[in-house]
Amino acid sequence: MTGRPTLAVVGATGAVGTVLLGILSQRADVWGEIRLFASPRSAGRKLTVRGEETEVVALTEDARAAGVFDGVDIALFDVPDEVAARWVPVAAAAGAVVVDNSGAFRADPDVPLVVPEVNAHAVRRRPRSVVASPHCTTLTMIVALGALHAEFGLRELVVSSYQAVSDAGQEGVRALRRQLSLVAGTELGTGPGDVRRAVGDDTGPFAEPVALNVVPWAGALCDEGWSSEEMALREETRRILGLPRLPVAVTCVRVPVVTTHSLTVHARFEDEVTVDRAREILATAPGVVLCDDPASGEFPTPADAVGTDPAWVGRVRRALDDPTALELFVCGDNLRKGAALNLAQIAELVAAGPE
Amino acid sequence: MTGRPTLAVVGATGAVGTVLLGILSQRADVWGEIRLFASPRSAGRKLTVRGEETEVVALTEDARAAGVFDGVDIALFDVPDEVAARWVPVAAAAGAVVVDNSGAFRADPDVPLVVPEVNAHAVRRRPRSVVASPHCTTLTMIVALGALHAEFGLRELVVSSYQAVSDAGQEGVRALRRQLSLVAGTELGTGPGDVRRAVGDDTGPFAEPVALNVVPWAGALCDEGWSSEEMALREETRRILGLPRLPVAVTCVRVPVVTTHSLTVHARFEDEVTVDRAREILATAPGVVLCDDPASGEFPTPADAVGTDPAWVGRVRRALDDPTALELFVCGDNLRKGAALNLAQIAELVAAGPE
């Protein structure tokens, strides 16, 4: 790349795209031209990035033929898996390095899966000119976990998630708001079936009502009763940490929170751990905020972490029955570090070279 | 006891007391007189039990002196710990067997901690004439876990909770409803601090806002950063299952659900497990409903389990990296089996004798 690189944002009008344009406007500006793309439905809309109004271009065969990807150095994709599978190779073939947030390439051994604080080096080997960003649930914990792994050597993980609705996009947020307006101000929530009756079939992108409820399901059904998001957290954690046989047990659960995922983490290490040393590591790790003083009512919650960049970590305890295990509670904004921010950070890494 | 035993309900006007009167009205009626007690604030109120209006008597020194506990065979207590510590011995001294739902006696080696489906035998040895009922979080999982332990031999537990607000009583329910009415219909939940600003200091009995949030704290602060509810789940599980050295790691988290606790459970056993055999056990265990067909969208949620008696169990999977471990998701109504129903079941066990 000579001069300032040209950036494309594909999926600019979605929940993640919206946050991404804000992040690109706030961070140190290393970009030349920024081009915005979305589905034909959103074409022609004008969005503001870095204070400039920019027209959204439809991602179509005609547009491709007209050369809309020509000269793009780096393309950030946040689109559904099937759209990514179709269009990421198109952008790569046109000469861009693609940083993709879909699930389409995360398991591809020729596509590095990158979290800059943990495995920045991996971004350099990208034979398909594609770099993948992990799923938001993995990103909630992986920065803190990577720092602890570097010191203690991770040996086993048991994780439960408390996932916000916005990882199902704006449709997920609208579903929760609609359901909340149906149940707020009522006496619902104590009788058999009353929430279900109030919400009706209007569960949006979720399997069950999420207002006044928690739903132990996220993603598609895989073998033996596992959900795709549970499998993804296991596989992605193994890839990012370079621990291909790490035992990982996960249960993913949706909760009525708009934005910011939370996770409980039971992490067993090779060596004996101390809470003091774990706190020191977390207090100084880039991208992590330690928020852990329960005597003063200090522990992370989504209401604290939302709209911020770092992973918030608290409730740091050593397991009472195992001196090699730590318990953590971690919160992270699923639209920021869980998606848009990690894309922007990877793009900056790529732009910084060396090629 | 000769004839039908006289029952006292102490704490009759609270969230659990209200559900308890309903349960006593629905179950096979083995009771003679039922006397209702509450704090002086509620004295004189009339409540309906078994279709009869009954006046609530104030729990005071004057009432005790007047002999209000005379002739009571069994007294069910659901009151704060300090009230139980004061009044449970009074009722026992007056000749009653007390079944107590507070934390005041759960760790006393001379007070059995009883879940009728799991350790009914323990109810017979009660040197202080007191039987304790476990905390609602323990009760959410213990019936299903006891059945699996009987077959496979439990060796280790990692648990995360999704706890409803009603285990903080009617005050907890009012706090959530008030907060929901402040945030419903707004765009809150995506900006830094916006939920906190909307809710203000009005967090009720909780450390943080619970609407559009999850709060990783329940109970009081114990040593080394553990909460009292986390310690209780560990100690109670060990006592009930008769496994005094069982490793148990727990994180308790409050969620914006009115009633019904949920838990993720990672349970490691002595022997290799199979999902088929685990499902058979759960499908036939008394007090358990197996709800586990994710291909048809079947898994338990609080919206399904609320207002019902059993523990709902689903998401039954064998750990991918450990053939001795099972993953479960369990939901149970914290006011029914988590409190009132277990009290009523213990009372029936005691009443059935033998003394």
Side-chain angles (χ1 to χ4, degrees), chain B residues 188-249:
Chain B
L188 297 172
T190 54
D194 59 6
V195 166
R196 193 177 298 276
R197 272 192 301 276
V199 169
D201 295 329
D202 188 15
T203 58
F206 308 116
E208 302 284 337
V210 284
L212 299 181
N213 206 17
V214 302
V215 182
W217 193 261
L221 179 61
C222 299
D223 287 347
E224 299 177 44
W226 294 86
S227 75
S228 56
E229 297 209 4
E230 291 160 352
M231 296 301 285
L233 188 135
R234 175 167 170 266
E235 296 307 324
E236 294 175 14
T237 301
R238 289 171 157 198
R239 281 199 75 188
I240 296 160
L241 298 181
L243 296 169
R245 295 171 178 280
L246 183 72
V248 183

Side-chain angles (χ1 to χ4, degrees), chain B residues 148 151-153 267-278 281 316-319 322-327:
Chain B
L148 294 169
E151 173 98 1
F152 298 125
R268 205 156 54 88
F269 296 92
E270 299 289 345
D271 302 324
E272 195 163 311
V273 296
T274 69
V275 167
D276 284 350
R277 182 66 190 128
I281 293 165
V316 182
R317 292 151 289 154
R318 189 165 87 167
D322 180 352
T324 70
L326 283 173
E327 316 299 325

Side-chain angles (χ1 to χ4, degrees), chain A residues 45-102:
Chain A
R45 277 181 60 186
K46 291 201 168 136
L47 298 176
T48 301
V49 58
R50 298 182 302 183
E52 290 169 28
E53 280 213 328
T54 306
E55 188 167 322
V56 177
V57 175
L59 195 67
T60 62
E61 187 49 43
D62 286 352
R64 187 201 63 75
V68 287
F69 285 121
D70 295 354
V72 171
D73 295 294
I74 300 177
L76 307 183
F77 271 68
D78 184 85
V79 294
D81 290 5
E82 63 281 9
V83 179
R86 160 94 179 80
W87 286 98
V88 164
V90 170
V97 174
V98 179
V99 184
D100 181 44
N101 197 38
S102 82

Side-chain angles (χ1 to χ4, degrees), chain A residues 160-162 177 186-188 196 213 216 225 230 234 238 247-248 250-251 264 301-304 315 317 321, chain B residues 160-162 177 186-188 196 213 216 225-226 230 234 238 247-248 250-251 264 301-304 315 317 321:
Chain A
S160 296
S161 77
Y162 301 68
R177 292 202 196 285
T186 71
E187 295 293 307
L188 297 172
R196 193 178 297 278
N213 207 17
E230 290 160 353
R234 176 168 171 265
R238 289 171 156 197
V248 182
V250 200
T251 302
T264 60
T301 75
D304 303 310
R315 300 300 323 279
R317 291 151 290 155
D321 306 301
Chain B
S160 296
S161 77
Y162 301 68
R177 292 200 197 286
T186 71
E187 296 293 306
L188 297 172
R196 193 177 298 276
N213 206 17
W226 294 86
E230 291 160 352
R234 175 167 170 266
R238 289 171 157 198
V248 183
V250 200
T251 302
T264 59
T301 76
D304 302 311
R315 301 298 324 278
R317 292 151 289 154
D321 307 301

Side-chain angles (χ1 to χ4, degrees), chain B residues 33-96:
Chain B
E33 187 190 351
I34 296 183
R35 299 183 199 164
L36 307 183
F37 296 87
S39 68
R41 188 164 33 96
S42 300
R45 276 181 61 187
K46 291 203 170 135
L47 298 176
T48 302
V49 56
R50 298 182 303 183
E52 289 168 27
E53 280 213 328
T54 307
E55 189 168 320
V56 177
V57 176
L59 195 67
T60 62
E61 187 50 41
D62 287 352
R64 188 202 62 76
V68 287
F69 285 120
D70 294 354
V72 170
D73 295 295
I74 300 177
L76 307 183
F77 271 68
D78 184 86
V79 294
D81 290 4
E82 63 281 10
V83 179
R86 161 92 178 82
W87 285 98
V88 163
V90 170

Side-chain angles (χ1 to χ4, degrees), chain A residues 333-349:
Chain A
D333 186 317
N334 52 295
L335 299 178
R336 296 183 76 87
K337 182 60 182 177
L341 176 62
N342 204 58
L343 292 174
Q345 287 175 302
I346 295 172
E348 291 166 10
L349 260 186

